[in-house]
Amino acid sequence: MTTDKINIKDIISDLKETKEGNYNFIYENVLLIGVTGMQSKTTISLIEHILKHAGLKTGVISSNCIKFYGESIHTTFNDLKVEMLQYVLNKMIKKGIQTVIMEVSSHTLDSNKMHDLKFDIAVHTSIENEYSGCYRNSGDFLKIQKELFHELDKDKIAIINIDDNNALKLIEGNSKALIVTYGLNNKASLTASSISIKDHINLVVCLQRSLTTIQGVDIDTLEFPITLKLLGEHNIYSVLASIAVALCLNINVEIIKKSLIWFNGIE
């Protein structure tokens, strides 16, 4: 399959030709997953990889590339205005995309690019290590990232890295969303045991508490082994986050296991 490259100038031209940039975006036509924090790109790639193996048509909007079935838009997310973002989402829907995975940085939240988007699943990777000179302290990041989780509607899902000291503050004030925690902490809903990191990562994934999928299906506690061709403890967190998303979408465990064996890193 060849990939067509779309220039950002073509999007701007198309927008000008469309009255008021009105694309009648309908949220019911696509499932939106937002990922925020450090390691977002690896986590997004893992989620995309698993969902593709499950037969879902996926689109990705990240800070350096927008891609979906048959097409890619090489730009930076900072270039996209709200109207352009809606254009891209509608173009994805017209192509039959079922799930869109978005990198939601503190910058994009702070600049209101996420305005009016309704996420079905919000994934937190970390707060503490995202600090840079752009903000005074990690408290600023916390305040901004909290917006993503605060806007989750009833029965939508927040997936939180419980090993991050500030993680639970993200969901303070939201009693509507379903909460799934992951990490190496024994209090996590989804954790890992029997971890071995040599030429690759081997571990056993443990769902310690039942969860309810986005479709309303209850999944009981379970355990299953996985192998990942990556190294480093940080990748264990990324894979746990991506598995949490897959389980919340009711993807079969065998599909998750088989897909991860073939993951070779960020595409």
Side-chain angles (χ1 to χ4, degrees):
M1 182 186 71
T2 60
T3 300
D4 300 324
K5 295 182 179 179
I6 304 174
N7 193 291
I8 194 70
K9 292 181 180 178
D10 296 331
I11 297 177
I12 296 171
S13 175
D14 201 343
L15 276 167
K16 288 179 179 178
E17 293 175 5
T18 304
K19 185 179 181 181
E20 296 178 356
N22 181 14
Y23 292 92
N24 298 318
F25 180 62
I26 301 173
Y27 292 101
E28 287 76 9
N29 289 344
V30 66
L31 188 142
L32 289 178
I33 301 171
V35 182
T36 188
M38 292 291 287
Q39 289 295 114
S40 290
K41 288 182 176 60
T42 301
T43 303
I44 287 170
S45 290
L46 280 161
I47 295 170
E48 179 192 21
H49 184 78
I50 295 171
L51 300 194
K52 280 185 175 180
H53 274 74
L56 297 177
K57 293 181 179 179
T58 63
V60 170
I61 300 176
S62 70
S63 60
N64 56 9
C65 185
I66 298 167
K67 60 180 179 177
F68 53 101
Y69 183 75
E71 296 185 0
S72 67
I73 301 170
H74 295 277
T75 180
T76 65
F77 193 78
N78 292 341
D79 292 335
L80 284 179
K81 298 184 182 298
V82 174
E83 294 84 0
M84 296 180 194
L85 180 57
Q86 291 175 341
Y87 167 87
V88 170
L89 287 168
N90 276 275
K91 193 170 182 64
M92 287 181 174
I93 291 171
K94 289 177 181 178
K95 285 285 186 177
I97 296 301
Q98 299 161 300
T99 305
V100 177
I101 311 153
M102 298 180 64
E103 180 183 1
V104 185
S105 69
S106 293
H107 174 78
T108 55
L109 284 167
D110 199 24
S111 59
N112 293 318
K113 282 192 171 70
M114 299 294 106
H115 181 65
D116 287 340
L117 293 185
K118 301 293 184 183
F119 288 92
D120 297 279
I121 299 175
V123 183
H124 151 253
T125 60
S126 70
I127 299 168
E128 295 168 341
N129 295 327
E130 193 186 7
Y131 171 71
S132 71
C134 298
Y135 292 90
R136 289 187 300 275
N137 53 56
S138 60
D140 293 330
F141 278 111
L142 174 63
K143 181 180 178 181
I144 294 166
Q145 288 186 3
K146 190 173 180 178
E147 294 178 22
L148 173 63
F149 295 87
H150 181 73
E151 295 300 321
L152 290 174
D153 289 334
K154 186 177 184 296
D155 296 331
K156 303 307 182 184
I157 298 174
I159 297 175
I160 305 291
N161 177 358
I162 199 172
D163 289 354
D164 188 305
N165 291 331
N166 291 306
L168 295 180
K169 295 178 182 177
L170 290 171
I171 52 176
E172 287 178 351
N174 187 339
S175 58
K176 301 174 292 183
L178 302 173
I179 311 301
V180 177
T181 60
Y182 70 93
L184 301 182
N185 189 314
N186 59 16
K187 294 181 180 179
S189 303
L190 189 73
T191 189
S193 64
S194 304
I195 298 171
S196 173
I197 304 176
K198 294 181 180 177
D199 296 331
H200 47 262
I201 296 172
N202 283 315
L203 56 84
V204 175
V205 176
C206 309
L207 180 63
Q208 302 189 109
R209 281 180 289 282
S210 61
L211 61 78
T212 302
T213 70
I214 203 76
Q215 301 92 344
V217 178
D218 291 328
I219 297 180
D220 291 329
T221 58
L222 52 81
E223 290 188 357
F224 57 93
I226 66 159
T227 297
L228 192 66
K229 298 176 183 177
L230 297 176
L231 297 177
E233 186 176 284
H234 58 285
N235 284 316
I236 295 174
Y237 284 95
S238 292
V239 77
L240 285 175
S242 64
I243 290 172
V245 170
L247 291 175
C248 287
L249 294 177
N250 202 26
I251 293 176
N252 184 276
V253 167
E254 290 303 315
I255 292 175
I256 295 173
K257 289 166 58 178
K258 289 178 182 177
S259 67
L260 290 175
I261 291 173
W262 297 105
F263 182 75
N264 292 314
I266 298 175
E267 296 179 1

